[in-house]
């Protein structure tokens, strides 16, 4: 209350504030404009929030989900997970509000609440600084893909990383694994 909203979040707030009655119409328009990914994102949001019961059911589901991942790692004898990092190199200033999908690999670890870090393992080469839209399925040739292509222009030399993660409260283990990977 009373705080100024950061400009990068205005579009997200606008989506959240859309009346539910308008959402089907806007989804239809986005589909007609070829913005299928934005249409799908809009269909997953709703105005009005959750009831208390829905909220606590989600909390219980998340707790069970987290416990299943802890059990999986413990039973498998894994200390650290090696996962994909962001799908693009460093974003241009201000692009994160439009290209948050490129960090979708980090969402799982945020949901789990696990310590994680991204470690650079290579750099974009001269011959890799493109994002050919014609190679994408037609349903993905949208404004998001065009912004990805813009990000890849002149990206030679930018780092590309992988993500390392460990069980809760194992932050030092993640830092150790990142150092070992960097030194490899």
């Amino acid at each position: 209350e009373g705080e100024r909203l950061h400009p990068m979040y205005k579009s997200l707030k606008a989506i959240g504030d859309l009346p539910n009655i308008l959402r089907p119409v806007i989804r239809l328009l986005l589909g007609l404009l070829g913005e299928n990914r934005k249409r799908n994102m809009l269909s997953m949001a709703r105005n009005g929030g959750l009831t208390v019961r829905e909220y606590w059911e989600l909390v219980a589901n998340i707790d069970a989900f987290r416990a299943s991942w802890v059990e999986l790692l413990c039973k498998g004898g894994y200390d650290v997970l090696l996962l994909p990092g962001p799908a693009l190199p460093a974003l241009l200033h201000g692009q994160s509000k439009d290209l948050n999908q490129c960090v979708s690999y980090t969402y799982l670890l945020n949901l789990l609440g696990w310590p994680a870090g991204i470690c650079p393992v290579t750099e974009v080469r001269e011959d890799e600084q493109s994002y050919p839209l014609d190679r994408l399925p037609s349903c993905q040739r949208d404004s998001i893909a065009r912004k990805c292509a813009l990000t890849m222009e002149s990206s030679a030399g930018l780092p590309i990383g992988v993500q390392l993660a460990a069980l809760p409260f194992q932050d030092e283990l993640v830092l150790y694994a990142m150092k070992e990977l960097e030194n490899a």
Side-chain angles (χ1 to χ4, degrees), residues 7-183:
M8 285 185 57
Y9 298 114
K10 285 184 180 177
S11 60
L12 291 174
K13 183 172 181 342
I15 291 169
D17 289 345
L18 279 174
N20 290 334
I21 197 161
L22 291 178
R23 290 172 185 271
V25 174
I26 294 172
R27 281 196 303 265
L28 177 67
L29 290 173
L30 287 170
L32 292 173
L33 293 171
E35 296 289 345
N36 293 314
R37 289 187 278 192
K38 288 182 180 179
R39 184 189 70 202
N40 291 337
M41 285 187 279
L42 180 62
S43 69
M44 293 179 202
R46 71 173 185 180
N47 190 331
L50 303 171
T51 66
V52 172
R53 180 183 178 91
E54 290 170 328
Y55 172 78
W56 285 110
E57 285 175 354
L58 283 175
V59 168
N61 290 341
I62 290 169
D63 286 345
F65 182 74
R66 287 175 173 167
S68 70
W69 274 84
V70 169
E71 180 182 355
L72 178 73
L73 257 67
C74 291
K75 280 186 177 178
Y78 303 109
D79 295 321
V80 176
L81 290 179
L82 177 68
L83 302 160
L88 293 171
L91 300 177
L92 301 172
H93 183 72
Q95 275 191 322
S96 60
K97 68 179 174 57
D98 299 318
L99 292 176
N100 56 23
Q101 303 85 354
C102 80
V103 295
S104 60
Y105 298 119
T106 66
Y107 296 168
L108 171 64
L109 299 172
N110 287 326
L111 178 64
L112 293 173
W114 290 7
I118 294 181
C119 186
V121 292
T122 189
E123 295 176 348
V124 178
R125 296 186 316 251
E126 288 287 334
D127 62 329
E128 294 176 324
Q129 54 182 352
S130 68
Y131 193 88
L133 300 175
D134 60 332
R135 293 188 191 166
L136 295 174
S138 59
C139 64
Q140 292 180 12
R141 295 179 196 160
D142 54 16
S143 61
I144 294 171
R146 289 189 293 279
K147 287 178 182 175
C148 289
L150 180 64
T151 298
M152 288 304 296
E153 290 176 11
S154 304
S155 62
L158 290 177
I160 300 290
V162 295
Q163 197 174 191
L164 294 157
L167 291 171
F169 311 110
Q170 297 294 316
D171 304 58
E172 298 85 5
L173 182 58
V174 172
L175 293 171
Y176 175 78
M178 289 173 67
K179 184 172 176 54
E180 288 296 308
L181 185 58
E182 280 183 340
N183 294 333

